[in-house]
Amino acid sequence: PATVAIPGFEKEPFLRVAKTSFIRLQAANDAKDLDDIRDYTTPEMFAELSMIIRERGDAPQKTEVVSVEAQLVEAVVEDGWEIASVRFYGLIREDGAANPEPFDEIWHVRKKAGDKKAAWLIAGIQQNG
């Protein structure tokens, strides 16, 4: 079971939004939409993703999220931040490949503790397994 130490944290609505954000980031990454990506990443994560996008050059990219599941790993308050870790897993098809491939990664998101209006920002993405 996940560790939840954020007062008033609602897991199900959080995971619904997390799945939408996962799909949105794939689409923004494919489209090289840096303005959209900037909206929901920390400055450090934005710098990393924009570098990856720049290195990709003009190669087109199309990612189809065939299925995605989200599982809360942890949600805690630390140093004035609410920090949550979400495991995403499922199937994606990249660049028109015939068969979807499994993926499994953990996203670390954060927002200012106690700020009801603050958005969760992606602070890190790590491959799982």
Side-chain angles (χ1 to χ4, degrees):
T3 307
V4 177
I6 298 175
F9 184 83
E10 293 184 46
K11 182 176 146 187
E12 293 313 318
F14 173 81
L15 289 175
R16 270 197 304 277
V17 171
K19 282 200 226 182
T20 305
S21 297
F22 180 87
I23 293 166
R24 179 178 163 192
L25 181 64
Q26 303 308 316
N29 184 35
D30 287 351
K32 300 182 182 176
D33 187 342
L34 294 176
D35 290 335
D36 193 33
I37 292 170
R38 183 183 287 116
D39 284 348
Y40 56 100
T41 54
T42 62
E44 300 80 12
M45 190 72 215
F46 175 75
E48 192 177 316
L49 289 172
S50 27
M51 186 181 72
I52 291 167
I53 288 170
R54 274 197 305 279
E55 286 172 357
R56 195 168 83 214
D58 291 330
Q61 181 170 300
K62 172 98 177 78
T63 307
E64 178 192 347
V65 179
V66 178
S67 68
V68 61
E69 294 301 322
Q71 180 180 32
L72 185 68
V73 177
E74 183 176 57
V76 295
V77 179
E78 202 172 276
D79 298 328
W81 296 96
E82 292 178 12
I83 300 170
S85 297
V86 184
R87 176 180 170 225
F88 290 104
Y89 59 95
L91 294 170
I92 55 173
R93 180 181 290 125
E94 293 183 306
D95 299 321
N99 295 317
E101 294 284 323
F103 70 91
D104 190 342
E105 53 193 49
I106 295 177
W107 286 18
H108 304 284
V109 296
R110 73 176 195 208
K111 70 177 186 173
K112 201 150 185 48
D115 184 347
K116 297 281 182 232
K117 292 195 174 95
W120 288 98
L121 299 177
I122 303 165
I125 297 175
Q126 73 187 61
Q127 299 309 308
N128 198 23

